Amino acid sequence: MAASTLEQLRARVSGQVITPGDADYDQARTVHNAMYDRRPRAVVRCTSTADVQAVVDFARENGLDLAVRGGGHSVPGFGTVDDGIVADLSGMRAVTVDPHARTAHAGGGATWGDYNAATGEHGLASTGGIISTTGVGGLTLGGGIGYLARGLGLSCDNLLSAEVVTADGRAVVASEKEHEDLFWALRGGGGNFGAVTSFEFALSPVGEIYGGPMFFELDATRDLLAFFREFIADAPEQYGGFPAFQIAPPLPFIPADRHGEPFIAMVNCWTGSTADGERIIDRIRAVAPPVAEMVGPMPYAALNSAFDGLVPPGLQHYWKASFVRELTDEAINAHAEHGPKVPVVNSTVHIYPINGACHRVAPDATAFAYRDANFAVVIAGMWPDPADNDANTAWVRDYYAATAPMSEEGGYINFMAGDDQDRIRANYRDNYEALVEVKRAYDPDNLFHLNQNIRP
């Protein structure tokens, strides 16, 4: 790339264009997953839709690979690229709320922490994730599973419109009223169709929740998972908690002599009254006595950020995921065998319930096809030392192999690893061919291919 070409790009954008040799280049090229140490030709810190359009045009005209980065949490490191260009949206994080219309607009680089802070001031929320530093964009485009999904639906079910920069450099608005095919595909189809610069969401009343984590002895695993299977089938939709395998972090509510030990945990979230929440949590306590717990009333945003400290930037990440219709006894046995082997405090396994409101959307109403799945399981390998990559990746793969026979063929794309491209068709089931048609319409040359890619 000639220097003059870069200078032309600098002249077109208001944001900073960072190239090798610049003092902040190493920081600018870094993403959350330290397994991916890539060196782009340039990182553009976009501050406007016009900046994003300029970057998209530049990548297309110069035949460069294009990475679009929102929160930077992509497990396969899709937010950076060797020898290409990165459109970094982290300068577009504004969130505006209309409490009367119960809507919110979020910039393409906003995180759920940004979003919850703005909406929480009005006692409102939309379904977000579990870690507040996650980008609103990436989570929503992949579907959006979180604490509120059973009651409010997936993040993408709360999406009202999106401003998208398409591969030809146009900025279009997609909604139920315009570019309806694109709007359909954005809701679960990932970053395949363009760079989303703004999201408009519906909001619902969510103020203080009742919840928090509970840690149980591992010998209670089968009883707790069997209880959860029956309980969640018809539990009130205000309950959005999930079971997890977790090494106890050094927190004051956990006995000091148990720090560093693995446990089966329940992470609770109840959006109804505190009194009803206490009754719900008592049903869990009746299954087995907790070793430790920190359960009580708190703002929703506090729970949504409670585990941020376990997922700092710079860890090694390797994940696997599956959708599950039924948590069978065989599946429970597989979890009981592999879950306790969780290698470090950062790694975890979550079994998210996705029934309730998620099931009230038809499988072909959005790109997110698994509306009959009851659970989304993620085996999230995260650890600090690259020397442990082989051993910890093997734990994830072995665990996944043990549970796959009791799972659906497809999984949640936001939890997929870089070696899961062969599962793309299965992830979208009968929606896949329609997604290919939308891809052909909006990105026929596959400019937006750094994702769980739907090839045109």
Side-chain angles (χ1 to χ4, degrees):
M1 187 190 305
S4 60
T5 309
L6 276 176
E7 288 308 314
Q8 290 171 353
L9 178 62
R10 286 189 171 97
R12 280 195 64 185
V13 301
S14 56
Q16 187 181 10
V17 179
I18 302 167
T19 56
D22 290 342
D24 46 359
Y25 175 73
D26 282 337
Q27 187 277 331
R29 69 185 180 87
T30 300
V31 292
H32 222 68
N33 186 354
M35 277 190 182
Y36 297 97
D37 184 27
R38 293 171 176 155
R39 302 186 67 84
R41 292 196 194 185
V43 177
V44 182
R45 288 180 166 156
C46 301
T47 61
S48 66
T49 298
D51 280 2
V52 178
Q53 290 177 279
V55 176
V56 168
D57 287 343
F58 187 81
R60 184 187 66 251
E61 292 163 2
N62 287 278
L64 294 175
D65 285 335
L66 171 65
V68 180
R69 183 192 307 163
H73 275 240
S74 164
V75 175
F78 290 139
T80 190
V81 60
D82 279 326
D83 205 32
I85 190 164
V86 176
D88 180 357
L89 308 186
S90 62
M92 302 171 65
R93 294 175 61 168
V95 180
T96 59
V97 180
D98 184 336
H100 302 292
R102 289 187 176 173
T103 60
H105 286 81
T111 67
W112 286 105
D114 299 328
Y115 188 88
N116 295 335
T119 62
E121 289 184 7
H122 305 281
L124 300 169
S126 309
T127 302
I130 305 300
I131 303 297
S132 76
T133 55
T134 302
V136 169
L139 190 91
T140 301
L141 295 175
I145 293 170
Y147 292 111
L148 306 180
R150 292 188 72 243
L152 303 182
L154 304 171
S155 302
C156 70
D157 298 334
N158 292 269
L159 186 66
L160 298 175
S161 69
E163 182 185 65
V164 189
V165 175
T166 55
D168 58 6
R170 290 182 301 149
V172 302
V173 174
S175 71
E176 294 284 9
K177 297 179 180 179
E178 51 188 330
H179 297 288
E180 298 93 332
D181 56 344
L182 178 59
F183 186 57
W184 175 84
L186 291 174
R187 289 174 290 165
N192 278 281
F193 309 99
V196 182
T197 53
S198 179
F199 298 82
E200 180 190 14
F201 293 97
L203 292 166
S204 298
V206 179
E208 194 169 72
I209 62 95
Y210 185 83
M214 307 166 75
F215 290 81
F216 300 86
E217 300 288 6
L218 288 171
D219 61 13
T221 294
R222 287 179 174 83
D223 288 342
L224 281 165
L225 293 182
F227 161 80
F228 187 75
R229 173 181 64 196
E230 305 304 321
F231 161 74
I232 205 65
D234 60 0
E237 291 180 3
Q238 295 99 319
Y239 184 81
F242 56 89
F245 288 97
Q246 181 67 55
I247 288 176
L251 297 173
F253 73 93
I254 302 171
D257 62 348
R258 306 302 301 273
H259 292 173
E261 293 187 25
F263 291 90
I264 177 76
M266 289 294 297
V267 183
N268 301 290
C269 179
W270 172 260
T271 60
S273 71
T274 295
D276 288 343
E278 288 172 344
R279 284 190 285 270
I280 289 286
I281 305 305
D282 280 343
R283 293 178 61 183
I284 301 171
R285 293 190 185 102
V287 178
V291 174
E293 62 176 87
M294 190 178 70
V295 175
M298 66 183 78
Y300 165 67
L303 181 63
N304 193 244
S305 60
F307 300 103
D308 290 2
L310 295 176
V311 193
L315 297 178
Q316 309 288 305
H317 289 248
Y318 184 78
W319 299 19
K320 287 290 183 184
S322 290
F323 289 120
V324 175
R325 287 196 191 186
E326 183 182 356
L327 197 59
T328 63
D329 289 344
E330 293 81 6
I332 288 174
N333 287 337
H335 285 293
E337 177 184 354
H338 292 272
K341 299 175 185 176
V342 59
V344 297
V345 69
N346 313 97
S347 293
T348 192
V349 179
H350 292 172
I351 304 173
Y352 297 112
I354 51 170
N355 57 349
C358 302
H359 281 189
R360 290 196 290 275
V361 178
D364 61 353
T366 68
F368 190 97
Y370 278 86
R371 299 293 182 164
D372 57 347
N374 289 304
F375 305 97
V377 178
V378 60
I379 306 161
M382 299 174 282
W383 57 92
D385 190 348
D388 296 327
N389 284 8
D390 289 346
N392 293 347
T393 297
W395 169 72
V396 175
R397 288 176 172 159
D398 290 347
Y399 199 148
Y400 171 73
T403 55
M406 289 78 75
S407 305
E408 299 298 301
E409 187 180 1
Y412 180 42
I413 65 165
N414 286 345
F415 293 158
M416 294 269 168
D419 57 6
D420 280 318
Q421 289 285 334
D422 61 346
R423 299 177 68 192
I424 297 300
R425 183 180 289 269
N427 295 339
Y428 292 110
R429 284 175 154 175
D430 294 341
N431 291 337
Y432 180 77
E433 293 300 337
L435 286 165
V436 171
E437 290 304 312
V438 179
K439 180 72 169 178
R440 288 172 179 164
Y442 289 92
D443 186 17
D445 297 320
N446 207 13
L447 178 66
F448 297 100
H449 64 271
L450 294 177
N451 44 52
Q452 299 292 349
N453 194 227
I454 298 166
R455 294 179 177 86

